[in-house]
Amino acid sequence: MADIDMSKVTVIPYVSMADASVHDHSTRDKQFPGLHNDLLFLWAMADTADGKRYELVRTLSASATYDFTVHECSTELWSDPRNVWFPGENDLYWGPILWIEREGEQTLFPANLDMRAKHPIRVSLGPERYVWKEHRDGVDIVLTPLPMNVTTIYVPGPPDDVGYTSSGCSVSGSIQGSPIVGGYGGLDRMYCLPGMSAQVSKIAELEHYWFVWGAVFADGHWETGNAMLGAGDYATATFHRQGADPIVATNREVGSKVVWETKGDVRQPVHARLEFGGRTFTFDATHNAAAAAVSMGIAWMHGNVREQGAPEPVQCWSTMEVIKIRATPRD
């Protein structure tokens, strides 16, 4: 990729929302012209019956899986989470994989037979559910896509064309044998030009913050949001209330403020405000979810998102992903 200061370039994203049922979940997915699906991320923030909050992330590609973390999040914002499992010889699978289509689903199999026996893993992706099992069912979850809840982003133009999809899901199953009592997660996929890695693509360079949230209300309906803040004026945002038309905004249509605080020698963002589509949402951190595993310079804070002037949700799960080398306070 050419060396371009993205903060000085007008980047125009094309953003829409779709239903997961219409998507090709194979690694051959060609929904963006001329681009290939390079990386997939399964992720979840989940509460269990034993009172714990977990963050789970698994990185997949067409041929390998190499990044994973399950950690128990801390309600003390200035304390690191407790790592439960991560990649490596004595923990979880890290190595070559195969994808096989079975009954309309794409199912992953470890290609390293020795490691397969030590660290069993099963991932199946389909239009109605994403199944994720690891560590002899220590992780045993099902992600169920919510209706019309895939945020789709296409950003053509120099220095390279890129695409991204983020499917928001409810979460069920168990972690370490404890039933999941609520959560929000999904499947994110990055698309780039042939011969390029998504990790060094334009969209990787653009991202500074990424907010994702799901909330359930007293009558049972879901509301979800997905907002990325990037270099310069770059921004994307979607909001969807079940039964209503989605709201989509880009660049200067998205207002933002991110407040950082300092304690000792640690400085991190803890509050934020997003404004788009005539609505204002506030984020207040509740859990430190920053993994110490192979996180590629990414930190996470979990929190509550509230829409100003709207009813309070019964339950809410939100994450603020922070790209540490680029993210700075926003006034």
Side-chain angles (χ1 to χ4, degrees), residues 252-288:
R252 295 187 180 183
E253 297 170 345
V254 182
S256 63
K257 181 176 183 178
V258 182
V259 178
W260 290 51
E261 293 182 0
T262 302
K263 185 174 181 179
D265 59 354
V266 178
R267 190 164 180 260
Q268 62 189 3
V270 294
H271 305 288
R273 187 183 69 243
L274 298 169
E275 300 173 346
F276 62 94
R279 300 171 184 267
T280 299
F281 303 93
T282 58
F283 172 94
D284 295 295
T286 59
H287 294 76
N288 186 326

Side-chain angles (χ1 to χ4, degrees), residues 57-90:
V57 181
R58 169 61 97 171
T59 304
L60 306 166
S61 73
S63 59
T65 177
Y66 54 88
D67 193 9
F68 179 103
T69 178
V70 175
H71 50 276
E72 182 186 338
C73 304
S74 173
T75 57
E76 168 51 56
L77 298 183
W78 305 94
S79 296
D80 292 333
R82 180 180 70 87
N83 277 332
V84 180
W85 296 305
F86 49 90
E89 179 65 25
N90 298 315

Side-chain angles (χ1 to χ4, degrees), residues 9-330:
V9 178
T10 299
V11 180
I12 300 176
Y14 297 87
V15 183
S16 60
M17 297 197 74
D19 196 87
S21 63
V22 302
H23 276 211
D24 178 356
H25 286 85
S26 77
T27 56
R28 298 181 298 277
D29 177 12
K30 301 293 185 182
Q31 65 176 296
F32 298 103
L35 305 184
H36 71 100
N37 176 204
D38 184 54
L39 290 177
L40 302 84
F41 305 94
L42 276 170
W43 62 274
M45 40 188 158
D47 298 322
T48 51
D50 56 4
K52 297 179 179 180
R53 162 69 63 87
Y54 291 94
E55 168 98 4
L56 306 90
V57 181
R58 169 61 97 171
T59 304
L60 306 166
S61 73
S63 59
T65 177
Y66 54 88
D67 193 9
F68 179 103
T69 178
V70 175
H71 50 276
E72 182 186 338
C73 304
S74 173
T75 57
E76 168 51 56
L77 298 183
W78 305 94
S79 296
D80 292 333
R82 180 180 70 87
N83 277 332
V84 180
W85 296 305
F86 49 90
E89 179 65 25
N90 298 315
D91 283 286
L92 296 166
Y93 187 80
W94 186 342
I97 58 176
L98 302 171
W99 290 96
I100 299 175
E101 185 169 351
R102 174 189 292 176
E103 297 178 353
E105 294 186 337
Q106 307 296 322
T107 300
L108 173 159
F109 291 93
N112 184 320
L113 297 181
D114 290 338
M115 291 292 287
R116 179 193 301 182
K118 292 179 182 178
H119 311 297
I121 173 177
R122 182 195 170 193
V123 172
S124 294
L125 308 178
E128 298 180 354
R129 63 177 189 166
Y130 311 137
V131 176
W132 181 6
K133 294 187 177 186
E134 302 244 12
H135 208 266
R136 294 178 173 80
D137 297 338
V139 173
D140 186 358
I141 69 173
V142 175
L143 301 167
T144 303
L146 295 170
M148 287 298 295
N149 202 39
V150 182
T151 295
T152 302
I153 304 169
Y154 176 46
V155 195
D160 58 325
D161 297 351
V162 292
Y164 200 99
T165 64
S166 182
S167 177
C169 307
S170 62
V171 184
S172 60
S174 65
I175 301 172
Q176 295 200 99
S178 184
I180 293 171
V181 296
Y184 190 66
L187 173 67
D188 284 29
R189 299 188 288 174
M190 297 181 74
Y191 301 77
C192 59
L193 292 169
M196 282 198 64
S197 164
Q199 294 176 342
V200 296
S201 68
K202 179 172 62 184
I203 204 161
E205 179 72 18
L206 282 171
E207 182 187 357
H208 291 192
Y209 300 94
W210 208 309
F211 296 86
V212 183
W213 69 92
V216 182
F217 290 76
D219 63 359
H221 85 272
W222 279 82
E223 294 184 5
T224 60
N226 189 306
M228 197 247 276
L229 308 178
D233 293 329
Y234 181 82
T236 65
T238 61
F239 173 75
H240 187 214
R241 174 182 293 149
Q242 280 186 332
D245 293 335
I247 295 172
V248 175
T250 61
N251 292 359
R252 295 187 180 183
E253 297 170 345
V254 182
S256 63
K257 181 176 183 178
V258 182
V259 178
W260 290 51
E261 293 182 0
T262 302
K263 185 174 181 179
D265 59 354
V266 178
R267 190 164 180 260
Q268 62 189 3
V270 294
H271 305 288
R273 187 183 69 243
L274 298 169
E275 300 173 346
F276 62 94
R279 300 171 184 267
T280 299
F281 303 93
T282 58
F283 172 94
D284 295 295
T286 59
H287 294 76
N288 186 326
V294 188
S295 57
M296 297 179 291
I298 299 173
W300 293 276
M301 297 291 282
H302 289 184
N304 288 322
V305 167
R306 299 288 186 265
E307 181 185 354
Q308 291 185 1
E312 292 282 315
V314 176
Q315 292 178 293
C316 179
W317 303 272
S318 175
T319 183
M320 171 174 55
E321 182 177 285
V322 183
I323 307 302
K324 291 186 288 187
I325 62 173
R326 290 190 287 273
T328 58
R330 292 178 174 240

